[in-house]
C-alpha cells in the first residue's frame, strides 16, 4: 500500500554580510530566492534535489553566488514577495549574483534560459579551484553521464 508521507526542503533568501574583525557591520545584502522541493510518497526518489541549493566563490574583491531558478524570476533583484516558487528544475535558468566586497553592491546575471537537465548546474558539485582563483568548476549529471563546465570571473 502507498502511504503519503511528504518531505520538504525549502531554500529561501541568502544573506551576505561583511563585518570588520571587531564585529562592526560594514554592509548586508539579501539575495531573494524561493526554492521548494518535496515528495509525497515513501517510494519517491530524491534525484531532483541536486538541482536545488546554491554555490559560491570568493575573490579578493567580490563574492559570486549562483543557483537555479524559475525564468519568471529573472528580473527580480530584491523583492522576495514577487518571486515565484522554484519547484521543478526543467526549463530553469542559472542565476548568478556578483557582490562587491567593499561596497556591497550586487549585480544579477541570468544565464542560459530554458536549460535542460543535460546542461543544468548541480550546485552541490560546483567548487572554486582555490581561494582567490577566478576559475570555478561546475558539474552536471543526466542518467549517470557527467558533464563539467568552467566559469571564470573577474
Amino acid at each position: 500500500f502507498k502511504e503519503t508521507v511528504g518531505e520538504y526542503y525549502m531554500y529561501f533568501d541568502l544573506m551576505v554580510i561583511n563585518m570588520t574583525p571587531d564585529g562592526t557591520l560594514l554592509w548586508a545584502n539579501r539575495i531573494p530566492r524561493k526554492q521548494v522541493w518535496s515528495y509525497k510518497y515513501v517510494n519517491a526518489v530524491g534525484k531532483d534535489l541536486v538541482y536545488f541549493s546554491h554555490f559560491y566563490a570568493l575573490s579578493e574583491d567580490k563574492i559570486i553566488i549562483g543557483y537555479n531558478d524559475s525564468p519568471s524570476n529573472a528580473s527580480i533583484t530584491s523583492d522576495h514577495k514577487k518571486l515565484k516558487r522554484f519547484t521543478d528544475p526543467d526549463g530553469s535558468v542559472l542565476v548568478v549574483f556578483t557582490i562587491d566586497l567593499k561596497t556591497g553592491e550586487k549585480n544579477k546575471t541570468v544565464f542560459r534560459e530554458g536549460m535542460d537537465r543535460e546542461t543544468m548546474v548541480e550546485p552541490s558539485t560546483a567548487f572554486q579551484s582555490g581561494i582567490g582563483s577566478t576559475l570555478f568548476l561546475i558539474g552536471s549529471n543526466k542518467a549517470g553521464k557527467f558533464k563539467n563546465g568552467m566559469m571564470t570571473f573577474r
Side-chain angles (χ1 to χ4, degrees), residues 3-65:
E3 182 178 330
T4 301
V5 174
E7 185 170 340
Y8 294 88
Y9 290 84
M10 294 180 224
Y11 300 99
F12 290 135
D13 297 353
L14 297 169
M15 291 296 300
V16 181
I17 300 169
N18 192 5
M19 302 174 82
T20 63
D22 69 358
T24 303
L25 178 67
L26 297 174
W27 54 260
N29 234 320
R30 186 173 115 202
I31 296 177
R33 110 187 140 136
K34 194 182 287 186
Q35 295 181 334
V36 179
W37 179 88
S38 65
Y39 71 83
K40 297 178 182 168
Y41 300 103
V42 172
N43 59 356
V45 178
K47 63 183 178 181
D48 289 344
L49 190 56
V50 297
Y51 299 111
F52 291 75
S53 193
H54 67 279
F55 63 83
Y56 70 93
L58 185 63
S59 73
E60 288 182 24
D61 62 346
K62 63 185 74 125
I63 187 168
I64 310 294
I65 298 174

Side-chain angles (χ1 to χ4, degrees), residues 27 58-64 98-105 132 134 153-154:
W27 54 260
L58 185 63
S59 73
E60 288 182 24
D61 62 346
K62 63 185 74 125
I63 187 168
I64 310 294
T98 304
I99 301 173
D100 184 291
L101 290 175
K102 290 181 180 126
T103 65
E105 180 182 335
T134 59
F153 57 93
R154 296 180 172 113

Side-chain angles (χ1 to χ4, degrees), residues 100-111:
D100 184 291
L101 290 175
K102 290 181 180 126
T103 65
E105 180 182 335
K106 68 180 178 183
N107 293 303
K108 180 179 182 179
T109 306
V110 178
F111 293 95

Side-chain angles (χ1 to χ4, degrees), residues 50-51 117-122 125 139-147:
V50 297
Y51 299 111
R117 288 178 193 250
E118 285 191 46
T119 56
M120 196 169 9
V121 171
E122 293 181 13
T125 66
S140 180
N141 174 17
K142 181 179 181 186
K145 295 180 181 177
F146 293 92
K147 295 186 177 190

